Amino acid sequence: MYNSYVGSQPIYNNDLTIYAYQLLFRNSEVNHASFSDGDSATSELILNSLTDIGLDKLTGNHKAFINFTRNFILG
């Protein structure tokens, strides 16, 4: 069985309420990123967030921010 991991970091606005969450690629239960291919990490993050876990479970009614590589955007 394959485990999906996604880190989520809150982004606060000026009055310290949560504005959004930054979604972060994780490939294990260890709370730091470890990858050699940023495009692949971004793809896996999007896939896991939308299909395996569900964006609503990760962010509720807040916005989601995802880091994209330049190559991923231009490709």
Side-chain angles (χ1 to χ4, degrees), residues 14-27:
N14 290 339
D15 63 359
L16 298 179
T17 58
I18 296 175
Y19 172 72
Y21 287 93
Q22 179 182 11
L23 301 183
L24 306 163
F25 171 80
R26 297 293 183 259
N27 60 352

Side-chain angles (χ1 to χ4, degrees), residues 42-54:
T42 299
S43 296
E44 192 169 329
L45 171 65
I46 293 169
L47 181 66
N48 292 345
S49 298
L50 297 177
T51 61
D52 292 346
I53 301 169

Side-chain angles (χ1 to χ4, degrees), residues 5-17:
Y5 301 98
V6 174
S8 64
Q9 179 174 332
I11 300 171
Y12 297 96
N13 59 21
N14 290 339
D15 63 359
L16 298 179
T17 58

Side-chain angles (χ1 to χ4, degrees), residues 48-75:
N48 292 345
S49 298
L50 297 177
T51 61
D52 292 346
I53 301 169
L55 200 54
D56 56 330
K57 289 182 182 176
L58 292 169
T59 64
N61 62 347
H62 297 94
K63 296 180 181 193
F65 287 83
I66 298 173
N67 291 327
F68 287 87
T69 64
R70 183 177 194 277
N71 186 53
F72 194 94
I73 292 171
L74 295 178

